[in-house]
Amino acid sequence: MLTSAVFASLFLLANATSWNQGHFIEPVTDCSQLPSYNNDTKIAGPWTIKVDNCYDGTGPQGLCSIEGFESSSDITRQRDDEPDTIEHGFITIVSDNNNIKTPLRCNGILNTIEAYVLSGPGAGALDWHSVGIDHHPSTGRLVWGKPDAQPVQAYKHYRHGVPIDGLFLGSNNESNWSIHSAGRDVSIMDMKTYWVPRLMIPETSIRENEFRTLMRIDGS
């Protein structure tokens, strides 16, 4: 586990071709490099993604209370022409690590990261759907069911040329996230409250009541 001081510096990571205070990231270009890869199916996973080195500056050693909490999901809206059909949604972080988790995987045949989420008529059925960043990384949310979403992938992190443990989710050579509570909103998965991660880019900044974090692939 990184110290809060190291994480504060790590949060300034540059892209894979640029150095910033000795840190850089490198994209993982093949599912075979991710945990639980099956050479027969060409699929890595399933695994969750989890809050890693969440920094709020006030908690013990700077870590926030949801450190290590894992992925879940919720729907964004239903189809306008079919109100009883779940069309798309987004990946969340549970408010209690005993809540229902949403697994993800890397599909090597399609070269995409997918999540096992509800979709379809009525209450929906669980199935694998590709995930991406909503419209542009500056908007941030990790979504499914939106064909115009930007692709996501895993990244390796290095500090002064030395690999840092773990593989971290990101997009467009960015892997820093912020996370905030959804307040009273509850997930369709279990009617429990949740947290919302959003991908950061250099032009954006932390908002009030947000924490800085990385999103680590569990088992990496």
Side-chain angles (χ1 to χ4, degrees):
M1 182 64 66
L2 298 174
T3 66
S4 58
V6 171
F7 175 75
S9 180
L10 180 61
F11 193 73
L12 300 174
L13 282 166
N15 63 38
T17 59
S18 301
W19 289 84
N20 187 347
Q21 297 185 3
H23 298 114
F24 75 101
I25 67 174
E26 176 183 47
V28 174
T29 58
D30 195 279
C31 293
S32 63
Q33 301 177 55
L34 301 182
S36 303
Y37 179 73
N38 185 314
N39 192 53
D40 293 330
T41 63
K42 309 302 180 187
I43 288 175
W47 18 254
T48 59
I49 55 174
K50 63 181 182 180
V51 174
D52 189 80
N53 283 279
C54 181
Y55 180 75
D56 73 355
T58 60
Q61 298 182 334
L63 298 180
C64 68
S65 61
I66 57 170
E67 176 73 12
F69 284 25
E70 299 170 72
S71 48
S72 187
S73 58
D74 197 13
I75 63 170
T76 307
R77 68 174 178 83
Q78 298 172 327
R79 289 184 55 163
D80 294 332
D81 57 339
E82 298 180 34
D84 292 331
T85 298
I86 298 174
E87 184 177 27
H88 51 72
F90 58 103
I91 302 302
T92 66
I93 296 297
V94 296
S95 58
D96 186 307
N97 233 6
N98 293 318
N99 294 355
I100 295 175
K101 313 295 196 312
T102 292
L104 291 89
R105 70 181 187 183
C106 185
N107 187 329
I109 297 175
L110 301 176
N111 196 30
T112 59
I113 302 290
E114 301 172 332
Y116 196 53
V117 291
L118 289 172
S119 65
L126 288 166
D127 201 358
W128 292 101
H129 291 267
S130 296
V131 294
I133 301 299
D134 194 5
H135 300 300
H136 185 275
S138 63
T139 62
R141 288 203 300 191
L142 183 60
V143 300
W144 57 266
K146 289 194 170 185
D148 56 347
Q150 297 288 317
V152 294
Q153 64 186 122
Y155 290 87
K156 299 177 182 178
H157 286 189
Y158 297 84
R159 184 168 185 262
H160 300 299
V162 178
I164 293 172
D165 288 342
L167 297 169
F168 304 90
L169 210 63
S171 180
N172 288 357
N173 286 325
E174 301 292 344
S175 63
N176 297 315
W177 299 73
S178 65
I179 190 166
H180 63 272
S181 171
R184 296 181 179 180
D185 290 347
V186 296
S187 170
I188 193 176
M189 295 292 294
D190 55 10
M191 302 304 293
K192 302 289 181 63
T193 57
Y194 57 82
W195 291 70
V196 181
R198 66 184 184 102
L199 187 67
M200 304 292 288
I201 61 174
E203 291 77 16
T204 59
S205 59
I206 292 290
R207 299 168 183 164
E208 187 177 359
N209 298 322
E210 281 189 322
F211 299 138
R212 300 173 177 180
T213 191
L214 300 173
M215 302 300 299
R216 182 171 179 165
I217 295 176
D218 194 29
S220 69

